[in-house]
Amino acid sequence: MTITPPALSVFESLESEVRSYCRSWPAVFDRAQGARLTDEDGHSYLDFFAGAGSLNYGHNNPVLKRALIDYIERDGITHGLDMATTAKRAFLETFENVILRPRDLPYKVMFPGPTGTNAVESALKLARKVKGRESVVSFTNAFHGMSLGSLAVTGNAFKRAGAGIPLVHGTPMPFDNYFEGKVPDFLWFERLLEDQGSGLNKPAAVIVETVQGEGGINVARAEWLRALQDLCHRQDMLLIVDDIQMGCGRTGGFFSFEEAGIVPDIVTLSKSISGYGLPMSLCLFKGELDIWEPGEHNGTFRGNNPAFVTAAAALDAYWADGQMEKQTLARGEQVEQTLLAICAEEPTAQFRGRGLVWGMEFTDPARASAVCARAFELGLLLETSGPQSEVVKLLPPLTITPEELDEGLRTLARSVRETA
Amino acid sequence: MTITPPALSVFESLESEVRSYCRSWPAVFDRAQGARLTDEDGHSYLDFFAGAGSLNYGHNNPVLKRALIDYIERDGITHGLDMATTAKRAFLETFENVILRPRDLPYKVMFPGPTGTNAVESALKLARKVKGRESVVSFTNAFHGMSLGSLAVTGNAFKRAGAGIPLVHGTPMPFDNYFEGKVPDFLWFERLLEDQGSGLNKPAAVIVETVQGEGGINVARAEWLRALQDLCHRQDMLLIVDDIQMGCGRTGGFFSFEEAGIVPDIVTLSKSISGYGLPMSLCLFKGELDIWEPGEHNGTFRGNNPAFVTAAAALDAYWADGQMEKQTLARGEQVEQTLLAICAEEPTAQFRGRGLVWGMEFTDPARASAVCARAFELGLLLETSGPQSEVVKLLPPLTITPEELDEGLRTLARSVRETA
Amino acid sequence: MTITPPALSVFESLESEVRSYCRSWPAVFDRAQGARLTDEDGHSYLDFFAGAGSLNYGHNNPVLKRALIDYIERDGITHGLDMATTAKRAFLETFENVILRPRDLPYKVMFPGPTGTNAVESALKLARKVKGRESVVSFTNAFHGMSLGSLAVTGNAFKRAGAGIPLVHGTPMPFDNYFEGKVPDFLWFERLLEDQGSGLNKPAAVIVETVQGEGGINVARAEWLRALQDLCHRQDMLLIVDDIQMGCGRTGGFFSFEEAGIVPDIVTLSKSISGYGLPMSLCLFKGELDIWEPGEHNGTFRGNNPAFVTAAAALDAYWADGQMEKQTLARGEQVEQTLLAICAEEPTAQFRGRGLVWGMEFTDPARASAVCARAFELGLLLETSGPQSEVVKLLPPLTITPEELDEGLRTLARSVRETA
Amino acid sequence: MTITPPALSVFESLESEVRSYCRSWPAVFDRAQGARLTDEDGHSYLDFFAGAGSLNYGHNNPVLKRALIDYIERDGITHGLDMATTAKRAFLETFENVILRPRDLPYKVMFPGPTGTNAVESALKLARKVKGRESVVSFTNAFHGMSLGSLAVTGNAFKRAGAGIPLVHGTPMPFDNYFEGKVPDFLWFERLLEDQGSGLNKPAAVIVETVQGEGGINVARAEWLRALQDLCHRQDMLLIVDDIQMGCGRTGGFFSFEEAGIVPDIVTLSKSISGYGLPMSLCLFKGELDIWEPGEHNGTFRGNNPAFVTAAAALDAYWADGQMEKQTLARGEQVEQTLLAICAEEPTAQFRGRGLVWGMEFTDPARASAVCARAFELGLLLETSGPQSEVVKLLPPLTITPEELDEGLRTLARSVRETA
């Protein structure tokens, strides 16, 4: 496939230098359907990035699209602040019936604003308010968002430096397997908590991703998550699972923590919760934590009703039974087998993952970039993650067909080969 | 009109106590068009709140709706991260041609995430990065958002307390007319800056709203804004105008600061920028400030392409000529005349405003609430603002007809009378 | 008098560049008695600086010297941590009988460490602990010390920059007469406190000097101090008077706030409390505020027993009756008359002061330095203060004779004349 | 020995509840000489606490006493701010000749104020200024002082809580042997520094005690200190050794870090530097770090000249040759043998130490208190340390005779036995 250099002029002249993905993927995209995007020159791309996990059901999923257009056509409420609307009610009822009740989860639902970082900010506020403490523990290579509260519990030094002020009130602890099994889990964390002379400000909460996406596809084991929950209970800290990227079925179950059998005190959801790539987020918390005063946290777009419509439709379509989870695990198996084969031939790479999120780590970060660049030339959208962008991240839509998945994996294999 | 108590059960049982507007307006809204909403029982409400300024062109504006549905129908990109897309290009070109160039504004455009607080966070980050200083000055009764960075420059004590940590790095200064003319403008601020012993950490920037919406419809005079700009230039501080609520034509011109003839260094836009109530925001800044590194600030939903489509359509439809501004000023005149008449009969109230944002302040805050409650019973959506919710805020869609406006103002007058 | 350049070599080669006074006064001092110092070359200097207020009773006061030597000779406890000692008991009893009881002051006494900044740090800690709030209000051009807690409530930008971290949790307010009477007292401060939307974090306490020494000899009026006390009571803030430089009789009465008739909640004393220039400080607070846990604040040298001995001797010798106060006021009168005469001939200067602390402010800061430099050549130790070092500060020992005072004032007058 | 309850009334009625040592040792002390104190009732106490390390040469050491009285008698400068004085010069020359030059240490000398916490505050300021970073790493169970800057790098939770504000800008790391050898040294610290995604703000400096006194007599091995110095060099962090309690010969050599062969970038000294228990402290740093501006850090009592006199006398008397170090190591041996014997019979205790600082840790913290209480009854002053006050701390004067040491150790053994 030959790609004509696109006319990027207005992007280059008018848009800020802060733009990033458009630099890796120098095309002007126009349309999309399912796992494929098409640029304005008619080139087609297979999507293994899925809007950084926001498009678990694919681009412009027809079921959701129908519901969305119907809603717009009939002049349903579009912008609803936090007013009660029929669309919000339908979403809440569906979320309760399809997600919370079957899993026996005791959560209240908060609409904290439509983005992930809004949800994280609200979770941190609530935890601090409930416990009356300012400190929060996060983990190495965590990513929780770019507003100041979320950024303070995010690991990436480059992004932290963007704050322009010292980021405080957070302390990092080692994520699972940070020392490759050489140090007992939570040894350091628990000692600091137990030792009255440790110098650690007692945390209100711990915030964790079950699989760190931006951090390099670092997968926490179920027993590590259970031990973390136990530690939180013993030490009177709230457990916040940031399920923004790994929730909504990415790892198999609707919530990524289901497999571990834990029940976090607070959960954040965003990205794929609307199902259609529309901005929406949720903050869930145990009922006894709901000590918010009316309006104590607010936001203009926390009632994005078209997103409620597609969100309810997605839950109905994909989560009323256990098919979605089974299919994701099957697709994950397919990925794993291929990565096993690729890595068998490529000694500088190793892979890891769960459900439909996988990473291939290269010894040389430049190689990971080269693989993604070559994949783009071959019509596959792939991105890197990890502290040095050393991990090629596989995040296809959950609704991808086995054939599409196979096609993408073959392109990946070829890209690895051709960049050796 | 008699309103049957709506079935709020799932909202009450499942949604967090943090919800607020739905308490003032106990209805379940279903549809909306222009300046009117309809609840599920068929009651109709005239909207003098306009999504807190997010619906300047009314609910489900037909011109934008057509463009939106067309875009969805043809499977245009929905979720685009910060990839180049045809929809984004169309928006950027339109924004440049219709807004920036005619006003000779030297701005680069950043998509910082889809909400106002994302835009404010990015503006503060950039100002701190450019100046290498941490401190920012805001004004009494400012409102800039609920994530930690924005909240630190927000005045409201109740919302600040929600942070759960001390909010620092910001210092409040008196907004225009804070002392009712008894103190020269900027006397205190300038003395602190000039006095090397004042104890004020030298600010990187000043952030200001030209009209404080949440703060109680406090209108800054043009000469005050010009003096502020001069002060910023003299003292090497960046001037940030937060035009999230007052921009997009609310005060007449597209930017609320045009009337004053100033050119802020950084401008934030959100709320009505998409035109349709979809989450979208912009951070604009002078080209020489664009020292961002690629990806130094990011966010999953900063490429909400359906919003780009409606945004471009709105600019084309309403801002290609000067009609919108004229119409808004005419409507504002209509509001002013009525408020003059109401306040002539109501000695405990006074009013103020500009363009189509007006406030009626009551001596007794309970009265302001009572007026809004009565208005709701009479089918008019009105909210309070101000530090003690003592101001009834009028924020109708800019596209409201003179008849609708008159109807709403008569309902307001009746509500004032009936709560005396 | 001709001064041979002293041999400063070891100071220059070994002592840090941070040294300052030795640069203004390039002599190596050897002995001192009363109001006079002698350098190693035998030159004599009249002291109008008095150890920055630490030598109110003159250098090596014979009464205190006798008590001190006796104590050392008899092997009295020198270093006592916070153990009970006979010397500490004698001091406490004397302080109670001579100072607290006659003034009906309800204070507990804390030994927070031997320096002023220790006392300020303990005062701020206690205020925050009692009120459960983090914020403290200080005043423009305040000076409270150089450790981080004290520095955060100090105004001088140069010294603040030395912290290397943003200094937060403090907000400056205008000191008395900051706007030369053009703005009502406390207008800004009180509005911020009353306005729930002001953005001011509710302060735990206000810390104030009755006369700002380092800040440029800014004298607060008694009515301003009373109004401040009233404001603190109305707004539930603790009033801390930092009497480190102005206490121990500098302004006439033992405490500088006596004249205003106020009773601060917390008072810090240091500098001249030992009487002999030995490191010692006190933190005094109303009994009901004494919620310290044992050892919650400590410090190695908080039991400097030789200082307790000289402190008790000084109280006995100078404060058992009202003579000291009368004499200070008389000496102050003498200073005032002379300054009046000097300023009558020097239109670029104005003066202000109280008791035996006076300042001459020059329009041109360089002139103030020149006056001090010339005075040094003429054998008089004088220093500048104020944000731009524009104020010549007169701080002679309280025990200076009228003749010595006259001599110094004549040297000052000559220095002013000769630098015109 | 029977002790009559002393008359503590003025202490109880007037002194703050914050007092602590006087509660463990309910006597009113009057005189002291060498290793012994005498209370007002004539009871004698052997001192195994030595002013928390401030009396390394014993109480009222006759050599220093002579020099001190001579100086006072001849009216030497008492209070000298940072003026050049003959006493300061004598101290600086002696310090250079006796301490710095023989050890080939490249330090400039700063007088930051007379207490340990002044020295630590100045060290932290300088490190932040030099590196332009705000973060500092400290260690578990560190103690560096009670003013805000020092407290932020102190471990004890009880003392930290006294701040009344969140203590930030510091991160604790595990001190040597924190995991009893189960984890490689600096594994966690170095990973955080090397991992660009770790979330650790890059530190300006690391502050460490070679032996943690307050923290429970935790002794860092020489190789650990060397590895720490290497890490600091590799990672561009300054190494600050806080030698306030362990310097001045406590561990054998004049500086406690000599044995490890390291050369810290910055060193703090206080406690025994004056030799006589007078308030004095030093901050030493490599010449190239001396970027202070004149007066950027100051303090009223940083020129405590009587302390300079006793300090110079102590250096001359004890450090002109290697006798002191040898004697301390010999005395240490004597302590170690006894502790070995005591612990052989007491299975719930273990001991550790170096030079003349030793600790006996009991499984049950109450036992440690009981031992000290019984020792007091038997005429021996002993204190606990450690996060739970579980360690009996032995800190006799270095000048103690073998017989006195033996007497004290026998009393200790008896106290251990009698509290079993």
Side-chain angles (χ1 to χ4, degrees), chain B residues 80-101:
Chain B
L81 293 161
D82 71 352
M83 289 144 69
T85 63
T86 49
K88 191 200 261 190
R89 184 167 56 202
F91 168 74
L92 283 171
E93 287 173 351
T94 307
F95 192 71
E96 186 169 34
N97 293 330
V98 174
I99 302 299
L100 296 181
R101 202 169 294 155

Side-chain angles (χ1 to χ4, degrees), chain A residues 20 30 40 78 82 86 89, chain B residues 20 30 40 60 82 86 89:
Chain A
S20 59
D30 184 53
E40 60 178 348
T78 298
D82 71 352
T86 47
R89 183 167 58 202
Chain B
S20 58
D30 185 51
E40 61 178 347
N60 301 325
D82 71 352
T86 49
R89 184 167 56 202

Side-chain angles (χ1 to χ4, degrees), chain C residues 149-181:
Chain C
S150 307
L151 192 54
V153 289
T154 288
N156 189 286
F158 165 65
K159 294 198 189 300
R160 289 174 71 84
I165 56 168
L167 293 172
V168 296
H169 305 299
T171 304
M173 290 291 154
F175 192 71
D176 189 19
N177 205 32
Y178 197 60
F179 300 110
E180 287 148 19

Side-chain angles (χ1 to χ4, degrees), chain D residues 213-275:
Chain D
E214 298 307 304
I217 317 300
N218 306 311
V219 183
R221 290 161 302 140
E223 58 264 38
W224 186 86
L225 291 169
R226 282 191 294 270
L228 177 59
Q229 177 176 268
D230 287 350
L231 181 62
C232 287
H233 289 176
R234 276 199 308 280
Q235 295 283 348
D236 185 34
M237 306 180 296
L238 295 177
L239 176 60
I240 305 170
V241 168
D242 180 343
D243 229 14
I244 289 171
Q245 192 169 75
M246 296 304 147
C248 303
R250 175 54 57 187
T251 65
F254 183 79
F255 294 108
S256 72
F257 55 79
E258 293 174 33
E259 191 187 346
I262 63 172
V263 181
D265 298 291
I266 305 179
V267 179
T268 57
L269 283 179
S270 184
K271 294 203 188 265
S272 277
I273 184 64
S274 85

